[in-house]
């Protein structure tokens, strides 16, 4: 053995995990540590993300690196905690949720200077487990990895996935499944539910400290205001309006938009029962527990607004000493949600239709809205595949409408629509950058996860590779762009917290 420290050893010694959250918000942080993993085995490592974080992929693949990834061997000074939060779940308030099976290991300072949470999911029961086993199975953790990285590649703000490590522990669900830990990063894990929890302590100082911490990390412009809390609220309203507009534009259904699953940063979080639309129908719901369709695709903007109203209620005492004035401020800020969402969605729809202002006459907002509306009516009537139909528009703009006709052909409105849209000279390059070829289609994700659970990681590798450049068609990857057969699509369901 050499006495010179290897690169791996030097990284482990130089890695620093700060404990900003634990220091700033002790009322929301329970010191805790990960359960040991009997036989940790790295299943996937996101080398690109490791690089962005200044982490050495070689080290992370080494036994010491894998020990770090399951929380077994942390750098000196790390203070892992389980985070407390509350939440409105399907409309009902739960005052005490929190990380039941997750841990914040600490924060990393990335080479770009940003602070990133390093967080584990499936690391054993915490004081917030409420009878749950604190564990996670390989399939669902790989699912979060695939979905979150696909969202990132689509340009949508999201928590990121650094790695999935099989623990060697069995997890009992309907059957015994192999257990895993997901290692994820986020600009923070502060949620609407974090503020609701702080309010629920009845201690205004705790509420104020959460708000100040969120401002410092996510909306620093609010700090300069005479009363900063409404500034934070406005920042969250805007970030969430923009985020949900982007979900809608790619056909993403979060599936469980409880207030504990909504960040203050505006990053998508907690990929449980989420899925992408295939056949276009605003009422689409995949989650097995969402029997009322509360979190259906088309409801998402309304639910986001509802969740933001819960955030405002939790923050009210910091808006103004006088309740009436506080409510007025909250309503004023919340009123920004609808126009902001509409504007973000309209700007995105303009790109999806290739109608950005070019050299010629600009197409009016009303005309874009009318064209988008008619197209969605056709999509719904034909139950056409959302992703591939939009992608076929660029070929149609180039003169080959075969794909579009295959999807919408026979619809009485199609010919008229095509003529009117083409008259605006839509730009296919703009469309190709806005309409993905590849999204994580439900049947492909399930196929890759089933293989991975059996020990074959190859389909997952292909899927993540194709999804990493979603706007570029690859030869040989045609099946990743195609919808599932009707048998699969009809009965598809997703599951929460598995
Ligand atoms: P989710 O539906 O994943 O957002 O989780 C809702 C709440 O249930 C959170 O407080 C989770 O920490 C908790 N939870 C989910 N699954 C488990 C589990 N297996 N063990 C303990 N807590 C869990
Ligand atoms: Mg959650």
């Amino acid at each position: 053995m050499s006495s010179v420290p290897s690169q791996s050893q030097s990284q482990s010694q130089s890695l620093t995990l700060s404990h900003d959250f634990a220091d700033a918000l002790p009322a929301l942080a329970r010191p805790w540590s990960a359960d040991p993993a009997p036989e940790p085995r790295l299943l996937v490592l996101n080398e690109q993300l490791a690089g962005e974080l200044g982490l050495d992929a070689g080290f992370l693949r080494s036994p010491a690196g894998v020990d770090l990834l399951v929380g077994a061997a942390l750098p000196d000074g790390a203070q892992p905690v389980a985070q407390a939060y509350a939440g409105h779940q399907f409309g009902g308030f739960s005052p005490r949720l929190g990380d039941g099976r997750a841990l914040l290991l600490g924060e990393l300072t990335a080479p770009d200077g940003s602070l990133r949470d390093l967080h584990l999911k499936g690391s054993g029961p915490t004081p917030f487990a409420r009878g749950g086993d604190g564990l996670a199975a390989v399939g669902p953790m790989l699912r979060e990895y695939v979905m979150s990285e696909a969202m990132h590649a689509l340009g949508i703000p999201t928590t990121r996935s650094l790695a999935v490590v099989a623990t060697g522990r069995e997890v009992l669900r309907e059957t015994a499944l192999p257990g895993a830990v997901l290692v994820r990063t986020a600009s923070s894990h502060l949620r609407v539910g974090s503020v609701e929890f702080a309010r629920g302590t009845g201690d205004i100082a705790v509420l104020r400290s959460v708000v100040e911490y969120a401002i410092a990390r996510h909306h620093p412009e609010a700090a300069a205001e005479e009363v900063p809390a409404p500034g934070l609220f406005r920042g969250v309203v805007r970030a969430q309006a923009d985020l949900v507009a982007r979900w809608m534009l790619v056909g993403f259904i979060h599936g469980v938009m409880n207030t504990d699953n909504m960040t203050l940063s505006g990053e998508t979080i907690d990929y449980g029962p989420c899925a992408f639309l295939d056949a276009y129908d605003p009422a689409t719901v995949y989650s097995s527990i969402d029997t009322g369709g509360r979190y259906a695709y088309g409801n998402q903007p309304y639910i986001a607004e509802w969740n933001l109203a819960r955030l405002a209620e939790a923050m009210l005492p910091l808006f103004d000493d006088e309740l009436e004035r506080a409510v007025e401020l909250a309503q004023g800020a919340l009123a920004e949600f609808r126009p902001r969402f509409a504007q973000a969605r309209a700007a995105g729809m303009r790109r999806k239709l290739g109608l950005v202002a070019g050299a010629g006459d600009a197409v009016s907002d009303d005309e874009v809205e009318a064209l988008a509306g008619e197209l969605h009516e056709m999509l719904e009537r034909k139950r056409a595949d959302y992703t591939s139909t939009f992608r076929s528009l660029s070929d149609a703009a180039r003169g080959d409408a075969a794909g579009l006709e295959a999807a919408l052909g026979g619809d009485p409105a199609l010919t008229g629509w095509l003529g009117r849209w083409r008259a605006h000279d839509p730009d296919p390059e703009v469309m190709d950058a806005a309409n993905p070829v590849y999204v994580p289609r439900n049947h492909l994700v399930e196929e890759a996860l089933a293989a991975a659970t059996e020990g074959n990681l190859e389909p997952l590798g292909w899927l993540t590779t194709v999804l990493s450049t979603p706007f570029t068609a690859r030869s040989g990857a045609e099946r990743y762009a195609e919808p599932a057969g009707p048998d699969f699509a009809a009965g598809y369901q997703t599951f929460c917290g598995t």
Side-chain angles (χ1 to χ4, degrees):
M1 274 223 291
S2 154
S3 60
V4 181
S6 70
Q7 194 188 2
S8 301
Q9 282 167 325
S10 59
Q11 165 112 61
S12 124
Q13 282 153 10
S14 66
L15 183 69
T16 305
L17 277 178
S18 58
H19 31 79
D20 261 43
F21 177 89
D23 289 349
L25 304 173
L28 274 67
R30 302 282 180 282
W32 201 252
S33 49
D35 270 5
E39 241 179 284
R41 192 164 55 85
L42 187 61
L43 296 180
V44 273
L45 177 68
N46 189 337
E47 298 208 354
Q48 189 224 333
L49 177 59
E52 282 171 35
L53 295 168
L55 298 173
D56 176 36
F59 162 68
L60 292 176
R61 289 187 184 284
S62 73
V66 174
D67 278 350
L68 167 72
L69 291 173
V70 293
L74 299 181
D76 288 347
Q79 294 178 21
V81 295
Q83 293 177 299
Y85 49 83
H88 278 85
Q89 300 180 302
F90 290 90
F93 186 60
S94 299
R96 192 171 184 275
L97 292 170
D99 288 336
R101 54 165 172 175
L103 275 186
L104 173 65
L105 294 182
E107 304 93 11
L108 285 165
T109 303
D112 69 2
S114 65
L115 206 59
R116 309 280 306 170
D117 280 7
L118 190 64
H119 180 98
L120 304 183
K121 195 161 165 176
S123 49
T126 74
F128 302 107
R130 297 173 295 142
D133 62 7
L135 303 176
V138 164
M141 295 305 98
L142 287 174
R143 193 166 197 281
E144 171 153 346
Y145 185 102
V146 171
M147 300 304 279
S148 63
E149 288 308 301
M151 291 287 272
H152 173 72
L154 288 164
I156 299 174
T158 176
T159 62
R160 302 287 307 277
S161 294
L162 178 63
V164 177
V165 185
T167 56
R169 198 186 289 122
E170 240 180 28
V171 180
L172 286 176
R173 295 294 180 256
E174 275 165 16
T175 56
L177 297 169
V181 164
L182 169 78
V183 189
R184 77 178 176 195
T185 69
S187 69
S188 90
H189 283 76
L190 291 168
R191 307 148 190 264
V192 168
S194 312
V195 182
E196 293 180 292
F197 181 88
R199 175 68 191 273
T201 65
D203 183 345
I204 191 89
V206 170
L207 181 62
R208 185 166 284 120
S209 63
V210 173
V211 166
E212 281 170 4
Y213 186 73
I215 288 174
R217 262 182 102 163
H218 301 301
H219 301 283
E221 68 288 348
E225 293 178 33
E226 201 181 313
V227 187
L232 171 67
F233 181 60
R234 273 197 308 279
V236 180
V237 166
R238 291 172 187 164
Q240 285 293 338
D242 292 348
L243 178 67
V244 177
R246 298 174 93 151
W247 290 356
M248 301 303 283
L249 289 162
V250 296
F252 176 76
I253 308 170
H254 183 282
V256 60
M257 287 178 71
N258 295 332
T259 57
D260 50 302
N261 292 335
M262 191 181 202
T263 58
L264 302 185
S265 64
E267 288 176 353
T268 312
I269 196 171
D270 278 3
Y271 292 84
C274 66
F276 278 70
L277 264 186
D278 32 47
Y280 179 74
D281 177 358
T284 305
V285 173
Y286 292 116
S287 169
S288 62
I289 59 167
D290 191 4
T291 47
R294 180 180 171 91
Y295 299 138
Y297 171 74
N299 274 1
Q300 297 186 117
Y302 305 104
I303 293 293
E305 188 186 42
W306 190 88
N307 288 349
L308 290 164
R310 305 290 79 74
L311 175 61
E313 281 168 7
M315 292 174 73
L316 273 185
L318 301 182
F319 284 3
D320 201 278
D321 292 339
E322 236 178 86
L323 182 62
E324 215 170 297
R325 175 74 190 130
V327 170
E328 215 172 74
L329 280 168
Q331 283 172 340
L334 191 58
E336 280 189 42
F337 180 85
R338 288 185 187 207
R340 176 89 180 201
F341 171 81
Q343 197 239 338
R345 186 184 166 283
M349 202 44 76
R350 189 181 269 282
R351 286 190 296 276
K352 285 177 82 72
L353 294 175
L355 301 179
V356 291
D361 288 341
V363 185
S364 73
D365 290 346
D366 286 350
E367 174 68 352
V368 174
E369 203 49 40
L371 284 165
E374 259 188 57
L375 179 61
H376 281 81
E377 281 165 25
M378 287 189 278
L379 282 164
E380 193 173 349
R381 275 197 294 269
K382 302 296 282 187
R383 294 193 58 81
D385 181 72
Y386 183 79
T387 302
S388 60
T389 308
F390 267 103
R391 183 68 184 194
S392 73
L393 286 174
S394 26
D395 280 345
R398 291 184 181 106
D400 171 11
L404 189 64
E405 269 158 16
L408 300 176
D411 193 288
L414 181 59
T415 309
W417 186 88
L418 254 180
R420 180 170 158 197
W421 171 67
R422 275 178 171 156
H424 296 302
D425 203 12
D427 182 337
E429 276 179 38
V430 169
M431 279 183 273
D432 280 346
N435 296 314
V437 190
Y438 309 114
V439 294
R441 289 182 176 277
N442 305 321
H443 65 292
L444 298 171
V445 173
E446 295 306 323
E447 172 191 280
L449 297 186
T453 302
E454 297 291 313
N456 175 13
L457 290 164
E458 208 175 308
L460 188 88
W462 282 114
L463 184 62
T464 51
T465 301
V466 167
L467 293 173
S468 68
T469 54
F471 297 103
T472 310
R474 290 175 189 248
S475 67
E478 288 73 15
R479 71 180 288 263
Y480 292 90
E482 283 161 15
D487 291 350
F488 179 92
Y492 187 62
Q493 278 205 323
T494 56
F495 301 90
C496 237
T498 40

